């Protein structure tokens, strides 16, 4: 009986301590982590739309979820393109990408991979500049495709990373999905015209 | 012997024994080559040197913190539930480390990324805690953890250098081999990891064997 009590007490105390420590640390860390994520998101808008100096956000609901599109504006306030987040499953977790799309809804301005937990040295090479640069000017119609072992042959193709096909595919699939959602939910006119939430960011 | 010299002796002995706890992790008990522990991260994240070093250092920090914590509370943990207790302690330390990095050093956290939570599964930490920390006081435990963690980091560096040079032709991302070199892609994939690890274990065993047989002759 004494042994059992000691076991129960030990684990209960340890569990309670661990729970308290984690709850406290999380409470302190979470606001900072959210701020860091916001900063990264805003910075990514200016990365994928290099001509933008400011932006305006538009949010619409699609089946209980918020879809937010950022319209990049240059110094004169004229729209230079739109940016939005693309998410979806990769090889080991979510692959989150900031996508920049031209106002004609036809060619990408660029992408920035924000969240990924892919295999280090293989799947996480989607972060490499050469891979992301491929998406500049890629056509989104009918959809973006990846090609293996050789250079892209069509205007809607990019080259996948050797040994990381699934991660490369995830990037392409998530972008295609997000482009479809955004172009069906918003029209170019309503984004370019005045209006939307006045949620402007700082200069780039 | 004078009293002062008599007092100095145990302190000298203690310093020697602390140093030997530290040094054993660097060679004779080096993980993962002699102490066959921590194979998973050694195989998985050594495809580049940067990944290997980052994982090694992160593991070192967690190892020292976990070993110290277990040593601190070793008298209070009922032996039958010690594994569960270790898991609770190690997982809490790793999670706190991960949250801390994400909040205060987002750049570092992005670079280390998924490695940090994976440290919970590293057998080296369980191994040292079970074999050493739970029966030894704080200071020797910390020396043991430091030595083991550093040894582990050196081992990862050794694997990382070999795999990155042969698999990518670079070190730390800088191209080292000329265009004549066709990268051995197998080196950055799992089979290459096993090949490199097996070779290094063989080399380390051979050198240790030579050292101990020379010691016998001497």
């Amino acid at each position: 009986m004494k042994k059992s009590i000691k076991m129960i007490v030990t684990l209960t105390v340890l569990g309670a301590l661990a729970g308290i420590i984690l709850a406290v640390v999380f409470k302190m860390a979470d606001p900072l982590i959210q701020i860091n994520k916001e900063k990264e998101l805003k910075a990514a808008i200016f990365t994928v739309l290099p001509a933008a100096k400011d932006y305006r956000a538009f949010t619409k609901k699609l089946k209980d979820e918020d879809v937010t599109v950022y319209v990049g504006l240059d110094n004169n306030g004229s729209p230079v393109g739109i940016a939005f987040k693309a998410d979806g499953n990769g090889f080991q977790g979510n692959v989150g990408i900031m996508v920049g799309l031209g106002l004609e809804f036809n060619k990408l301005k660029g992408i920035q991979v924000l969240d990924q937990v892919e295999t280090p040295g293989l799947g996480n090479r989607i972060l490499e500049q050469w891979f992301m640069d491929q998406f500049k000017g890629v056509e989104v119609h009918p959809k973006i495709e990846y090609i293996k072992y050789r250079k892209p042959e069509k205007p809607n193709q990019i080259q996948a990373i050797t040994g990381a096909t699934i991660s490369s595919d995830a990037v392409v699939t998530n972008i295609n999905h997000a482009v479809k959602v955004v172009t069906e939910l918003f029209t170019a006119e309503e984004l370019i015209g005045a209006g939307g939430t006045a949620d402007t960011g700082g200069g780039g | 012997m004078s009293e002062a010299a008599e007092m100095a002796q145990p302190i000298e002995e203690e310093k020697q024994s602390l140093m030997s706890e530290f040094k054993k992790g660097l060679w004779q008990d080096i993980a993962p080559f002699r102490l066959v522990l921590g194979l998973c991260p050694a195989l998985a994240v050594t495809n580049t040197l940067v990944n290997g070093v980052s994982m090694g250092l992160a593991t070192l920090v967690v190892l020292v913190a976990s070993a110290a914590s277990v040593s601190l509370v070793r008298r209070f943990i009922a032996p039958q539930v010690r594994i569960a207790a270790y898991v609770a302690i190690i997982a809490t330390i790793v999670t706190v480390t991960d949250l801390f990095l994400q909040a205060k050093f987002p750049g570092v956290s992005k670079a280390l990324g998924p490695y940090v939570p994976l440290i919970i599964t590293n057998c080296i930490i369980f191994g040292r805690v079970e074999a050493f920390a739970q029966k030894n006081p704080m200071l020797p435990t910390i020396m043991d953890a430091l030595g083991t963690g550093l040894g582990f980091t050196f081992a990862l560096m050794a694997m990382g250098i070999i795999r990155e040079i042969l698999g990518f032709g670079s070190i730390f991302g800088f191209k080292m081999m000329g265009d004549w070199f066709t990268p051995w892609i197998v080196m950055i994939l799992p089979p290459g990891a096993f090949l490199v690890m097996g070779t290094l274990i063989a080399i380390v065993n051979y050198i240790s064997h030579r050292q101990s047989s020379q010691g016998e002759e001497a």
Side-chain angles (χ1 to χ4, degrees):
Chain A
M1 230 352 235
K2 256 188 103 176
K3 263 195 197 167
S4 310
I5 297 197
K6 196 160 186 231
M7 290 195 280
I8 296 177
V9 167
T10 310
L11 286 183
T12 309
V13 168
L14 257 180
L17 267 178
I20 296 177
I21 294 179
L22 286 174
V24 166
V25 172
F26 183 76
K27 202 130 194 279
M28 296 196 305
D30 196 43
L32 294 173
I33 295 178
Q34 294 309 323
I35 292 180
N36 286 335
K37 285 209 171 123
E38 276 296 303
K39 270 201 226 161
E40 225 199 329
L41 196 80
K42 303 287 156 82
I45 298 176
F46 296 116
T47 306
V48 302
L49 298 175
K53 298 286 172 248
D54 196 356
Y55 65 86
R56 201 177 280 142
F58 291 76
T59 309
K60 276 195 187 174
K61 264 201 171 338
L62 178 71
K63 296 184 202 164
D64 297 335
E65 297 227 339
D66 277 339
V67 177
T68 305
V69 169
Y70 305 95
V71 179
L73 309 165
D74 64 11
N75 280 322
N76 306 318
S78 314
V80 294
I82 63 172
F84 47 90
K85 191 100 185 302
D87 286 296
N89 283 330
F91 180 58
Q92 294 193 163
N94 187 48
V95 175
I97 309 152
M98 182 61 88
V99 182
L101 184 62
L103 292 168
E104 358 68 56
F105 286 9
N106 188 37
K107 286 194 185 169
L108 292 184
K109 294 269 185 198
I111 67 162
Q112 177 70 44
V113 174
L114 291 176
D115 321 306
Q116 57 86 30
V117 283
E118 308 296 272
T119 312
L122 285 174
N124 80 350
R125 298 185 67 198
I126 54 178
L127 287 169
E128 286 176 13
Q129 203 53 52
W130 71 268
F131 180 75
M132 296 194 290
D133 279 346
Q134 291 188 96
F135 290 83
K136 292 185 186 168
V138 164
E139 286 188 11
V140 303
H141 296 302
K143 62 176 183 156
I144 306 174
E145 294 170 348
Y146 67 87
I147 189 174
K148 283 162 67 159
Y149 309 125
R150 50 192 198 281
K151 295 248 173 280
E153 290 155 2
K154 295 195 268 185
N156 63 331
Q157 281 180 346
I158 56 105
Q159 185 176 6
I161 296 172
T162 311
T165 309
I166 298 185
S167 302
S168 310
D169 181 29
V171 172
V172 164
T173 304
N174 296 351
I175 295 178
N176 282 330
H177 175 77
V179 166
K180 186 161 181 292
V181 165
V182 162
T183 53
E184 282 175 4
L185 204 55
F186 297 84
T187 63
E189 293 74 33
E190 65 184 308
L191 293 174
I192 296 176
T197 60
D199 174 16
T200 50
Chain B
M1 243 192 280
S2 72
E3 256 204 31
E6 264 181 29
M7 299 278 290
Q9 259 209 333
I11 299 182
E12 255 316 295
E13 274 166 19
E14 198 184 304
K15 273 206 323 216
Q16 289 284 38
S17 103
L18 284 180
M19 269 319 278
S20 85
E21 299 298 354
F22 174 71
K23 289 203 289 203
K24 72 179 194 274
L26 296 178
W27 177 251
Q28 79 207 58
D29 279 352
I30 191 172
F33 299 139
R34 300 225 71 199
L35 205 64
V36 187
L37 291 177
L39 294 180
C40 299
L43 293 168
V45 299
T46 47
N47 45 12
T48 63
L49 183 54
V50 146
N51 293 348
V53 172
S54 310
M55 182 52 140
L57 292 177
T59 308
L60 170 64
V61 167
V62 171
L63 180 56
V64 172
S66 306
S69 307
V70 170
S71 179
L72 198 60
V73 298
R74 68 187 184 277
R75 298 188 211 282
F76 304 113
I77 301 184
Q80 298 86 348
V81 295
R82 62 185 193 280
I83 301 288
Y86 301 158
V87 176
I89 294 177
I90 297 172
T92 306
I93 293 181
V94 170
T95 311
V96 166
T97 309
D98 191 26
L99 285 173
F100 174 73
L101 285 178
Q102 283 185 51
K104 286 291 191 180
F105 298 101
V108 176
S109 172
K110 267 229 147 5
L112 292 182
Y115 318 150
V116 180
L118 285 175
I119 296 174
I120 303 180
T121 64
N122 193 328
C123 298
I124 296 181
I125 309 193
F126 268 99
R128 294 327 292 162
V129 154
E130 163 82 354
F132 202 89
Q134 61 147 351
K135 16 184 145 138
N136 284 285
M138 192 76 122
L139 203 46
T141 303
I142 293 186
M143 298 307 282
D144 171 87
L146 270 175
T148 308
L150 269 178
F152 182 63
T153 306
F154 293 146
L156 292 186
M157 281 175 66
M159 288 197 63
I161 288 187
I162 297 177
R163 292 181 71 194
E164 188 176 350
I165 288 215
L166 292 177
F168 284 118
S170 63
I171 290 191
F172 275 134
F174 297 110
K175 266 186 100 61
M176 296 293 290
M177 311 290 249
D179 287 327
W180 58 269
F181 179 71
T182 315
W184 301 3
I185 301 283
V186 71
M187 280 300 161
I188 57 182
L189 296 172
F194 279 100
L195 288 171
V196 173
M197 165 154 290
T199 310
L200 286 176
I201 292 183
I203 294 179
V204 168
N205 277 343
Y206 178 71
I207 300 181
S208 301
H209 185 71
R210 290 278 305 271
Q211 281 179 340
S212 61
S213 61
Q214 276 170 356
E216 278 163 25
E217 286 161 27

